[in-house]
Amino acid sequence: MTKGKKIAAYTFLTIVSFISVFPLYWMISAATNKSVDVTRGRLIPGAELINNFKNLLAQYDVGTAMLNSFKYALILTILSLLICSLAGYGFEIYHDKIKDGVMSVILLAMMVPFAATMIPLYQLFSKVGLLNCTAGFILPTLSTPFLIMMFRQSARSFPHDIIEAARMDGLNEFQIFFKMFLPTMRSTYAAAMTITFMNAWNNYLWPKVIMTSKTSITMPMLVANLKEGYVTDYGMLMLAVFLCTIPTAIVFFLLQKSFADGITGAVK
């Protein structure tokens, strides 16, 4: 690559990086300014962060929203990883024509938008008493076709000779899964955990439908409530958005290497 091409490439990458990072900078900067300064387009950080934080805590129950979001996201992530990995492992290790047909039907379900099933789900959950509870939050997304397909693809790289050797040594199928398959697929689990946690944390539509009590509010619902009414405090709103972003950002940055390996199907 010539010097001119390098300069052009680095210039392009710098511009793209700036465009990508600017919304995050603007969010943090807006969280430190008054609402009127945000509407005027001020880009320099201000001195209103503490006041915005005090107003946010005084007007909304941020602690309950954060606790609920963590509880729902963690429970959904743990159970979803367990169920989807078992399903993906079973579809690949014990596959036949019938299971392949079932897997095709599961993949077709990815094309059905959640909005099309939301009303029947709400009617069902209301009849069985699953409104305003953790079970009502996690059941619709407890098992997803994408995660099942992801674990099935990873299971294809798992040596079948090891499974046969483990069976000859007296291990049952669950021992093979938990003691051999699960530790080997750590990168896949990390990628799946990142995706599931972020989706569960950012989930807004379904919790908004079934979580009708104030004690069941989540962070995305709280952020949406800040935009209601005739006047919006944009400084406080951006602070709430920033607080809502922190957990998912931490999870992604901690697992980004394993996330990349898991998405590409690497097995170590």
Side-chain angles (χ1 to χ4, degrees):
M1 181 180 292
T2 62
K3 186 176 180 180
K5 290 183 178 180
K6 286 184 178 180
I7 294 175
Y10 282 117
T11 302
F12 174 76
L13 292 175
T14 301
I15 295 174
V16 172
S17 299
F18 175 78
I19 295 174
S20 301
V21 174
F22 179 76
L24 179 62
Y25 168 79
W26 184 82
M27 176 185 66
I28 298 174
S29 176
T32 64
N33 286 300
K34 294 181 180 180
S35 180
V36 63
D37 293 329
V38 177
T39 56
R40 289 175 179 173
R42 178 175 177 174
L43 299 178
I44 302 174
E48 297 296 321
L49 178 62
I50 297 177
N51 290 332
N52 290 336
F53 189 70
K54 289 181 179 179
N55 293 334
L56 181 63
L57 293 181
Q59 298 180 33
Y60 296 91
D61 194 352
V62 180
T64 299
M66 290 287 284
L67 182 62
N68 287 336
S69 291
F70 271 114
K71 179 179 69 174
Y72 299 148
L74 288 176
I75 294 176
L76 176 59
T77 300
I78 294 172
L79 293 180
S80 183
L81 291 185
L82 177 62
I83 293 174
C84 292
S85 61
L86 281 169
Y89 177 83
F91 272 116
E92 177 58 29
I93 302 302
Y94 310 104
H95 77 275
D96 53 34
K97 291 184 178 180
I98 296 178
K99 292 185 179 67
D100 289 342
V102 174
M103 188 65 195
S104 300
V105 174
I106 293 176
L107 294 178
L108 286 174
M110 295 177 65
M111 294 185 287
V112 180
F114 180 75
T117 61
M118 184 174 62
I119 294 177
L121 280 174
Y122 176 79
Q123 293 176 339
L124 173 63
F125 281 35
S126 62
K127 289 180 180 179
V128 298
L130 291 179
L131 302 181
N132 296 311
C133 65
T134 305
F137 179 93
I138 68 175
L139 283 177
T141 53
L142 187 59
S143 177
T144 62
F146 175 77
L147 287 185
I148 294 175
M149 179 184 66
M150 182 176 174
F151 279 108
R152 186 190 183 191
Q153 292 298 115
S154 296
R156 289 183 176 178
S157 61
F158 189 70
H160 286 230
D161 294 340
I162 296 179
I163 298 176
E164 295 298 331
R167 289 170 180 168
M168 294 178 63
D169 288 339
L171 293 181
N172 59 43
E173 302 304 319
F174 284 102
Q175 289 176 324
I176 295 173
F177 177 82
F178 286 105
K179 293 183 178 181
M180 302 179 67
F181 177 80
L182 194 150
T184 306
M185 301 295 171
R186 285 179 296 179
S187 59
T188 304
Y189 277 92
M193 184 178 74
T194 304
I195 295 171
T196 306
F197 183 86
M198 293 177 68
N199 289 338
W201 181 272
N202 294 323
N203 194 1
Y204 169 74
L205 183 59
W206 179 244
K208 185 67 174 178
V209 172
I210 65 166
M211 301 298 185
T212 56
S213 67
K214 293 183 178 180
T215 57
S216 303
I217 191 172
T218 62
M219 280 303 296
M221 295 168 63
L222 185 144
V223 171
N225 291 340
L226 288 170
K227 297 188 294 182
E228 295 179 353
Y230 296 101
V231 180
T232 301
D233 189 332
Y234 289 102
M236 189 168 61
L237 174 61
M238 289 297 104
L239 177 59
V241 173
F242 176 66
L243 293 176
C244 189
T245 305
I246 291 176
T248 54
I250 292 175
V251 170
F252 179 78
F253 283 117
L254 288 177
L255 300 175
Q256 59 178 331
K257 187 178 184 302
S258 298
F259 175 82
D261 292 340
I263 290 297
T264 56
V267 178
K268 295 182 179 179

